Amino acid sequence: MKTVDTKEYISMLRTLIEEGKQVSMIISGSSMAPFLIHARDHICLKSPSGELRKGDMVFYQRSNGEYVMHRIYNVKNEEYYLIGDAQTVIEGPIQREQIFAIIIKVKRKGKWIVPEDFQWKFFAHIWPNIIPLRRTIIKNISFFQKMKRTKEFIKRNISRRNRTGSFRTDRPRVQRNGHPDRNRRIYLGAYRRSRKLQPSSTVDSGGIRSG
C-alpha cells in the first residue's frame, strides 16, 4: 500500500477542484475545533465562484507551500485575514490567488450540515466575534465532555456490576514479587490450605484419619 503525503494528497484534490469537481476529505488537525474535530468530521469543497465573505471556511496555500483550512475573519482591500475556530491569532494578509477552495458543507458527528443550519450560522457569524472568550469556552467544553465521559464510564461499570457482581476499573493489576494480585491471592490461599491439612495423623483400620 502506498502512503501519500498530506501535501501531495491536497495537491491532487486541488487539481480536481480546479477542474470543477466537488471533493470531500476527512478533517486532519485541531485548528477548527470545536466545530470540526480531527479524524471524525468531513468537509466538502469546491472552487469558489463568487465573492468570499467573513465567516466562510476556505482552503488556501501559504507562501511556504503549506495547505491550510481556516475561516475568513475579515476582508480588507481585497486581502483576506483568516483564523481557525480554535485559535486566537489572526493570520494575514492572504491574497485571493492563494485561496483555491471553499467549504460548502460539512459532515459533523455523522450528520451533514449546510450554511442554512443553526450550527453553521453560529460558527460563521457569532464565533468570529468572540475571539477573547474562545479559550475559556473551549476549556469549559472540554471539562464538561470529560465529565460526561466519566459519568458514562461509571454508569457502564455500575450496570456491569449489577449483572455480574464484579466492578471493572480498566486498570492493570499491580504486580508484587512477580505475581499479579489475583494469582498472588490464589497462591497464598492454596499455601494456607495446605498448611491446615498437615496436623499429626493416626492409623485407624488401615486408613488415615485427621487428628
Side-chain angles (χ1 to χ4, degrees):
M1 180 183 293
K2 179 182 178 181
T3 301
V4 180
D5 178 73
T6 301
K7 186 176 180 180
E8 181 182 351
Y9 175 66
I10 301 295
S11 296
M12 291 189 295
L13 293 183
R14 181 175 185 175
T15 300
L16 295 174
I17 291 170
E18 290 175 346
E19 291 174 355
K21 297 181 174 63
Q22 291 185 13
V23 301
S24 62
M25 61 178 293
I26 193 168
I27 285 292
S28 177
S30 59
S31 66
M32 291 301 290
F35 184 46
L36 300 173
I37 302 302
H38 167 74
R40 186 195 71 181
D41 299 330
H42 295 72
I43 55 175
C44 184
L45 311 90
K46 74 171 188 176
S47 179
S49 56
E51 179 185 0
L52 296 175
R53 297 171 294 180
K54 179 178 180 179
D56 288 341
M57 291 181 288
V58 296
F59 240 113
Y60 61 99
Q61 187 174 21
R62 288 173 172 159
S63 56
N64 62 2
E66 184 180 8
Y67 289 105
V68 186
M69 188 204 80
H70 280 165
R71 192 182 299 277
I72 296 177
Y73 174 76
N74 194 17
V75 182
K76 186 177 181 180
N77 298 327
E78 297 184 354
E79 294 179 327
Y80 297 85
Y81 296 82
L82 301 101
I83 187 171
D85 287 350
Q87 299 176 336
T88 57
V89 178
I90 300 169
E91 178 182 0
I94 299 295
Q95 305 303 315
R96 178 62 180 82
E97 55 269 20
Q98 293 178 256
I99 301 174
F100 64 90
I102 183 172
I103 287 73
I104 57 174
K105 61 180 179 179
V106 302
K107 190 175 186 181
R108 187 173 188 263
K109 296 182 179 180
K111 178 183 178 182
W112 283 105
I113 298 175
V114 295
E116 291 76 23
D117 292 325
F118 170 77
Q119 289 175 314
W120 185 292
K121 291 180 179 178
F122 175 83
F123 282 96
H125 304 298
I126 299 177
W127 192 254
N129 297 317
I130 56 174
I131 291 178
L133 302 177
R134 284 186 177 185
R135 288 184 178 177
T136 301
I137 294 173
I138 293 174
K139 184 177 180 180
N140 288 334
I141 290 174
S142 299
F143 172 77
F144 285 113
Q145 288 176 340
K146 183 177 180 181
M147 291 293 292
K148 182 180 179 181
R149 289 193 298 268
T150 302
K151 183 178 179 180
E152 291 173 350
F153 173 80
I154 294 173
K155 185 177 180 180
R156 287 196 306 270
N157 279 280
I158 290 176
S159 177
R160 186 180 294 111
R161 183 180 183 185
N162 291 336
R163 293 196 309 269
T164 64
S166 62
F167 188 80
R168 179 181 176 186
T169 61
D170 287 338
R171 294 180 180 177
R173 292 189 177 94
V174 178
Q175 295 191 3
R176 299 188 182 93
N177 300 327
H179 295 281
D181 280 354
R182 182 173 179 273
N183 293 339
R184 180 178 172 82
R185 289 195 298 271
I186 295 173
Y187 173 79
L188 292 176
Y191 174 76
R192 289 166 181 164
R193 286 194 298 273
S194 67
R195 294 285 294 176
K196 291 180 180 179
L197 295 176
Q198 294 180 1
S200 59
S201 301
T202 58
V203 177
D204 182 22
S205 301
I208 302 295
R209 180 178 63 84
S210 298

